Amino acid sequence: MMARLMLLHIAYEAERGMDLRQENSIAKVFLAHMVHKVVDTAIQLHGALA
């Protein structure tokens, strides 16, 4: 949910022609961390099932 809101906010600001450097950097770090957590959890669950 939070990632979707971040991306919608960035898209809104891009349409307005605003500077996106800070928001873009924050979103990149947050999304990379979120993907890492999701993949780690999926691997752990898969290992528990085997």
Side-chain angles (χ1 to χ4, degrees), residues 8-37:
L8 285 173
H9 178 71
I10 290 171
Y12 174 79
E13 288 188 350
E15 286 181 353
R16 303 279 182 266
M18 300 174 85
D19 185 24
L20 301 174
R21 285 180 283 182
Q22 183 177 4
E23 288 86 354
N24 192 25
S25 298
I26 292 168
K28 279 191 227 178
V29 171
F30 176 78
L31 293 171
H33 181 68
M34 185 182 72
V35 168
H36 181 269
K37 285 178 22 179

